[in-house]
Amino acid sequence: MIQIFAFYLFASVVIASGAFTILARNPVHSVLWLILAFFNAAGLMVLIGAEFIAMLLVIVYVGAVAVLFLFVVMMLDIDFAELRGGFMKNLPLGLALAAVFLAELIFGIGAYQAGNIALGENALNPARMGASNIQAVGELLYTRYIFLFESAGVVLLVAMVGAIVLTHRKRAGVRPQNIGSQVRRRPEEATRNTQPAVGQGVQL
C-alpha cells in the first residue's frame, strides 16, 4: 500500500514540476522546478529497484547539470523582451516539434498496451545472479563493455583538454595570467598598512 502511495506521489510531483519548468517565466525558477523533477524521478527509480539510476539522477543531473544550468542562467544578463520576441518567432517550429513528441508519446503508449518486450535469456538479471543493481551494472561496464567505457572516458578527457585550451588562448586586450609572478609575490607588495587621521579617507 505504501508503495502505491509513494508511486502516485512521486509521479504527480514529477508531472507538476515538469509542467512548471516549461510554464515558469523566470529561467531560474525553471531550473529549480527541473531539480525538483529530478529528485522525484530518482524516487521513482528507487521504487522499481534501480537504485543505481536514482543515484545517477541525483549526483549527475542534480549535482552537476542542473546546478550548472542554474549558475549559467543567473550569470547571464537575459533580456526577457528579446527572449519573448524569439519565442514568438520560433513558435511554428516549436509547435511542429510538439506534434512530433505527441505522436511519439501516443505510439509509445500503444506499444506499452500491446505487451511487454520479452528480454533474451542472455540478459544480465541481478535477481538471478543474487547481486544488487549497482553490482550488476559494474560487472557489465568492466567486463563486456570495458573498451566502450574506456573510449567514452578518453572522449571526455579530450573534450576537457580542448575546453581548457580554448579558454586559455591569447586574445587581444586580455592580459594572460603569470603564475610565476603570483607565486613570487611577497606580502609587503600586496598590502600596505596606513594610519589615516580621523575624518580622512585612504589615498589609493
Side-chain angles (χ1 to χ4, degrees), residues 65-103:
V65 178
V67 174
L68 177 62
F69 287 166
L70 182 62
F71 277 102
V72 169
V73 168
M74 292 176 65
M75 288 188 296
L76 291 178
D77 187 12
I78 300 176
D79 188 359
F80 290 98
E82 183 180 356
L83 188 63
R84 294 190 185 93
F87 174 78
M88 296 304 298
K89 179 181 178 181
N90 299 319
L91 182 60
L93 179 60
L95 292 177
L97 291 176
V100 173
F101 292 153
L102 180 61

Side-chain angles (χ1 to χ4, degrees), residues 80-174:
F80 290 98
E82 183 180 356
L83 188 63
R84 294 190 185 93
F87 174 78
M88 296 304 298
K89 179 181 178 181
N90 299 319
L91 182 60
L93 179 60
L95 292 177
L97 291 176
V100 173
F101 292 153
L102 180 61
E104 290 181 349
L105 181 61
I106 295 174
F107 179 76
I109 293 175
Y112 174 76
Q113 293 177 351
N116 296 330
I117 300 176
L119 296 177
E121 293 297 330
N122 293 328
L124 187 59
N125 190 353
R128 185 177 68 242
M129 296 178 55
S132 64
N133 183 267
I134 299 177
Q135 184 177 354
V137 173
E139 289 180 359
L140 272 179
L141 284 180
Y142 291 103
T143 55
R144 184 181 302 177
Y145 301 108
I146 180 64
F147 295 110
L148 296 177
F149 185 72
E150 291 179 350
S151 301
V154 172
V155 170
L156 292 176
L157 177 62
V158 172
M160 182 176 64
V161 173
I164 295 174
V165 171
L166 291 176
T167 304
H168 285 81
R169 68 181 186 274
K170 294 183 179 180
R171 289 173 290 181
V174 178

Side-chain angles (χ1 to χ4, degrees), residues 45-46 49-57 133-135 137-138 141:
M45 294 298 107
V46 171
E51 64 272 7
F52 180 73
I53 300 179
M55 184 178 63
L56 286 181
L57 279 173
N133 183 267
I134 299 177
Q135 184 177 354
V137 173
L141 284 180

